[in-house]
Amino acid sequence: MSEGKNGLTYAQAGVDIDAGNAMVELIKPLVRQTRRPGADGEIGGFGGLFDLKAAGFTDPVLVAANDGVGTKVKIAIESGIHDTVGIDLVAMCVNDLVVQGAEPLFFLDYFATGKLDPQQGAAIVKGIAQGCVMAGCALIGGETAEMPGLYGKGDYDLAGFAVGAAERGQMLPTDDIVEGDVILGLASSGVHSNGFSLVRRIVEKTGLSWSDEAPFAPGKSLAEALLEPTRIYVKPLLQAIRNTHGIKALAHITGGGFPDNIPRVLTEDWAAEIDLEAIDAPPVFGWLQKAGGVADLEMLRTFNCGVGMIAVVAAGQAAQVAAVLTEAGEAVTPIGRICPRRDAGVIYRGTIDL
């Protein structure tokens, strides 16, 4: 085989195949930690395999979701903290599966960068693997793309793809939501993975650097505090769904907050009446509001404001469902009720204390 006259190589064009192979070897032990019934293969093939029968399903409906981490990755890039955004990536996908009553089965990631640093990539995948373990799903594959000229030095982006399953006839939401059903709020771990374009603008306005101590979290740098990973609600919610059969609907509170996310799981007949005074918002939201001069309604539509997931539960089973979730480690608070819809899909009562 003859060589080109100018002697150029792919590596000289900015793509290092050897670095990609090195990263694969670094992450193989991390991926093995995510094995579960139905998935026990090695990464490195052209596709990932999953055996639904081995996972215990008889008549499953597959549910798929994909998402990213958004501009939260900019804080990771600028601070050099890369081992938590992978948890966010998994969380944003699997939390969307469980709201439909589905058990997450497997996950694939897409990692794109301008110049591949195997150690940085392995740190990111470490977080992805940790998130998969927390969600009970297998990391069965992914793609690493080195694209010089498209991404700036040190920049990268992430996308995630998750597939889950639920037995036919057992999916959420149910069709028996009625007036008086209780809305339970599950506490968030912080900002999660939405609204970071506004977060970054507020930080820029304050003049703080990522290494400065967070005004709302003494002992942590601002970057560490804001990079607190999105909470993964999968295992506690699946436990509550299966043990109580009392959950009628779930809504993952992401971008758009209460007003955009709760109506997605309600028919046009029903609205959610939310008691804002029942919500215990973490200090980060008060700091963001004050530092940015953000109005209450804008906060409620941009951020989760302390509630990362809501569950609609029959009034007579609310205490039972809350007890199961609390036992599984969630902080649960009744924050509202279902009422007939007249105009808006979400009605606020009181004011939120940020």
Side-chain angles (χ1 to χ4, degrees):
M1 183 179 294
S2 62
E3 295 186 9
K5 292 182 180 180
N6 61 13
L8 282 176
T9 66
Y10 206 8
Q12 288 171 334
V15 179
D16 189 344
I17 294 174
D18 291 335
N21 292 334
M23 178 177 155
V24 170
E25 293 305 312
L26 286 172
I27 67 176
K28 278 185 176 180
L30 302 171
V31 174
R32 292 189 191 108
Q33 297 172 10
T34 73
R35 287 177 172 173
R36 53 151 294 158
D40 58 6
E42 285 279 356
I43 61 166
F46 287 96
L49 305 177
F50 194 91
D51 185 343
L52 282 166
K53 186 175 181 180
F57 289 90
T58 56
D59 186 20
V61 175
L62 294 179
V63 183
N66 70 297
D67 211 333
V69 184
T71 60
K72 189 173 186 176
V73 297
K74 286 293 289 181
I75 300 178
I77 292 165
E78 292 171 6
S79 67
I81 301 171
H82 305 290
D83 59 352
T84 59
V85 288
I87 300 174
D88 290 292
L89 184 66
V90 175
M92 294 301 290
C93 295
V94 297
N95 284 343
D96 280 354
L97 295 182
V98 76
V99 298
Q100 295 180 84
E103 174 188 342
L105 302 176
F106 59 85
F107 188 87
L108 298 99
D109 70 278
Y110 177 79
F111 168 49
T113 185
K115 178 66 175 176
L116 180 61
D117 177 343
Q119 295 295 332
Q120 179 197 69
I124 293 166
V125 175
K126 177 183 177 182
I128 293 172
Q130 186 177 347
C132 285
V133 170
M134 294 164 70
C137 63
L139 179 57
I140 66 170
E143 171 68 9
T144 300
E146 194 172 21
M147 295 187 281
L150 186 59
Y151 291 90
K153 183 179 180 181
D155 283 346
Y156 62 82
D157 198 11
L158 299 171
F161 309 84
V163 173
E167 294 291 358
R168 196 177 305 275
Q170 297 181 16
M171 299 184 69
L172 298 177
T174 63
D175 59 3
D176 60 345
I177 293 175
V178 298
E179 182 175 4
D181 283 344
V182 173
I183 298 173
L184 299 177
L186 279 65
S188 69
S189 57
V191 184
H192 284 186
S193 298
N194 299 102
F196 273 87
S197 293
L198 178 56
V199 169
R200 290 167 47 246
R201 181 66 65 87
I202 292 170
V203 171
E204 182 181 356
K205 180 181 176 182
T206 66
L208 292 170
S209 68
W210 299 125
S211 60
D212 289 336
E213 184 176 67
F216 53 88
K220 288 187 176 182
S221 71
L222 184 59
E224 289 170 335
L226 289 173
L227 287 172
E228 180 69 29
T230 304
R231 191 163 182 82
I232 294 177
Y233 300 97
V234 169
K235 289 183 178 179
L237 284 174
L238 287 176
Q239 187 175 340
I241 290 169
R242 293 165 177 170
N243 291 357
T244 71
H245 303 285
I247 294 179
K248 297 184 177 185
L250 295 166
H252 185 199
I253 308 304
T254 55
F258 293 146
D260 285 1
N261 287 293
I262 298 178
R264 295 169 65 183
V265 298
L266 302 176
T267 67
E268 294 183 356
D269 298 326
W270 303 114
E273 183 179 276
I274 302 296
D275 177 9
L276 294 177
E277 294 180 3
I279 296 172
D280 184 14
V284 60
F285 296 108
W287 179 77
L288 287 169
Q289 181 178 50
K290 183 177 180 180
V294 185
D296 282 359
L297 289 178
E298 184 68 14
M299 291 291 297
L300 288 164
R301 196 175 184 193
T302 305
F303 302 114
N304 66 66
C305 291
V307 178
M309 182 76 69
I310 68 102
V312 178
V313 182
Q317 291 182 275
Q320 180 191 15
V321 171
V324 171
L325 291 170
T326 300
E327 179 66 24
E330 299 299 329
V332 186
T333 306
I335 62 168
R337 59 187 290 274
I338 297 296
C339 63
R341 181 166 181 167
R342 296 179 177 85
D343 186 12
V346 174
I347 302 164
Y348 297 125
R349 302 298 184 204
T351 57
I352 190 165
D353 182 10
L354 297 175

